[in-house]
Amino acid sequence: MKELVDRIIKDGTTRAGTDIVKVDNFLNHQVDPFLMRDIALEFKKIFAEEKITKILTIEASGIAIASFAAMEFGVPFVFAKKHNARNLDDDVYSAEVYSFTKMTSYVIRVAKNYLSADDRVLIVDDFLANGKALEGLLSIVKEAGAEVAGCGVVIEKAYQKGGDRIRSLGYRVEPLAKIKEITEEGQIVFD
Amino acid sequence: MKELVDRIIKDGTTRAGTDIVKVDNFLNHQVDPFLMRDIALEFKKIFAEEKITKILTIEASGIAIASFAAMEFGVPFVFAKKHNARNLDDDVYSAEVYSFTKMTSYVIRVAKNYLSADDRVLIVDDFLANGKALEGLLSIVKEAGAEVAGCGVVIEKAYQKGGDRIRSLGYRVEPLAKIKEITEEGQIVFD
């Protein structure tokens, strides 16, 4: 998606010695609603034939993407909770997700009421890197007996292997920008 | 806002012996994008004259509301982070927020880049009860030297005192549904 790639080039930054791509100017801290609407429209185009009934994401930064996508698809979205919330039912689907950043696991939860075997689910998120969060969401959809129509991610770090591993399981994974490499000088190379 | 009150009556639930109003069917776990758009339009109507330049909220459930509001106002939004995120700058505004639920304090943070003295800020959130999170956000706007145009909350629990305390400081606080009481039988009484 050209608009997104241009924006990453213009406003994204990298941090020397890390693989971090900072896009908190427009995607995951400050959020540009016009770009988000265009991202949602792009997902709508890609998954137009998929008869999506529900969008699933994970808190926190997935929520903005899911909000705009839900509007364009005209279906509700659900965000998996990472933190114990007192307003969450006991009756939940759950999955354990390993975080490489924090070197620990956490549990994500979705109330059973909000995913059913009748659903065709589009999973969306801001980043796909090692794929652990996405695998957790896929596991929850499977537990619900629902069908995964596909995964729409805004930015895939293709030099990590999450996307390829999930594709090899037969899922459709569609990134809007695919980063092949971050050079030692911190330059972002797109696929 | 009649549509919202009707929806709370239809789909909201209470839990005996607590003051919890569960609206996770449409507001803060599963999210109905059509209701959210109407909520955003209502905020737009209420704050139409305020020359808002930025919307501020707090993760996680505020993000959906801010997403739709940002679209209607045509301005970016920023969500304060509750959890240490490795992609957040060190250069932040921060505030400590006491959580009555968890009986502990946490720190919320906004990167200094995304709020400035030129901003007129609309703060939005899903719930206003004791007002501690909202006070944290107000403190961050003040630290940035920006102006608070107002606070738009979806549901105020008026039997807790946060809203009145913040109004008494001179801020404009506009709830779209105001709950006066939850009876012992768990019935929600609106103001």
Side-chain angles (χ1 to χ4, degrees), chain B residues 97-170:
Chain B
V97 173
Y98 182 75
S99 164
F100 285 97
T101 316
K102 297 180 182 167
M103 291 187 295
T104 179
S105 294
Y106 58 95
V107 175
I108 62 172
R109 295 180 177 82
V110 169
K112 289 192 175 174
N113 287 339
Y114 305 134
L115 269 185
S116 83
D118 298 333
D119 280 317
R120 280 185 60 78
V121 180
L122 173 64
I123 299 176
V124 299
D125 207 355
D126 56 344
F127 273 98
L128 168 58
N130 58 64
K132 293 298 176 191
L134 190 47
E135 282 177 347
L137 293 171
L138 288 165
S139 151
I140 279 176
V141 177
K142 198 173 169 186
E143 198 186 344
E147 208 166 337
V148 176
C151 306
V153 297
V154 179
I155 300 172
E156 179 177 354
K157 293 177 172 176
Y159 52 92
Q160 295 191 21
K161 296 299 169 201
D164 287 344
R165 199 175 59 247
I166 291 164
R167 286 182 189 96
S168 76
L169 300 172

Side-chain angles (χ1 to χ4, degrees), chain A residues 24 30-31 54 77 114, chain B residues 24 30-31 54 77 79 114:
Chain A
D24 66 354
Q30 177 168 258
V31 181
K54 197 154 288 187
F77 79 89
Y114 306 133
Chain B
D24 66 353
Q30 177 168 259
V31 181
K54 197 153 286 188
F77 79 89
F79 61 95
Y114 305 134

Side-chain angles (χ1 to χ4, degrees), chain A residues 15 18-34 37 54 59-61 63-68 70-71 73-81 83-90 101-102 109-111 113-115 127 157 160, chain B residues 15 18-34 37 54 59-61 63-68 70-71 73-81 83-90 101-102 109-111 113-115 127 157 160:
Chain A
R15 204 177 279 182
T18 74
D19 74 330
I20 293 178
V21 180
K22 263 178 100 249
V23 286
D24 66 354
N25 181 290
F26 56 92
L27 188 65
N28 53 19
H29 183 28
Q30 177 168 258
V31 181
D32 174 350
F34 299 104
R37 186 183 50 187
K54 197 154 288 187
E59 65 176 352
S61 37
I63 296 175
I65 296 147
S67 293
F68 287 87
M71 193 71 247
F73 282 88
V75 301
F77 79 89
V78 180
F79 61 95
K81 305 220 173 187
H83 306 282
N84 264 318
R86 68 168 182 163
N87 65 352
L88 194 58
D89 282 319
D90 297 329
T101 315
K102 297 179 182 168
R109 296 179 177 82
V110 170
N113 288 340
Y114 306 133
L115 268 185
F127 273 97
K157 293 177 172 176
Q160 294 191 22
Chain B
R15 203 177 281 181
T18 74
D19 74 331
I20 293 178
V21 181
K22 261 177 105 251
V23 286
D24 66 353
N25 181 290
F26 57 92
L27 188 65
N28 53 20
H29 183 29
Q30 177 168 259
V31 181
D32 174 348
F34 299 104
R37 187 182 50 187
K54 197 153 286 188
E59 64 177 353
S61 38
I63 296 175
I65 295 146
S67 293
F68 287 87
M71 193 72 246
F73 282 88
V75 301
F77 79 89
V78 180
F79 61 95
K81 304 220 173 185
H83 306 282
N84 264 317
R86 67 169 184 162
N87 67 351
L88 193 58
D89 282 318
D90 297 329
T101 316
K102 297 180 182 167
R109 295 180 177 82
V110 169
N113 287 339
Y114 305 134
L115 269 185
F127 273 98
K157 293 177 172 176
Q160 295 191 21

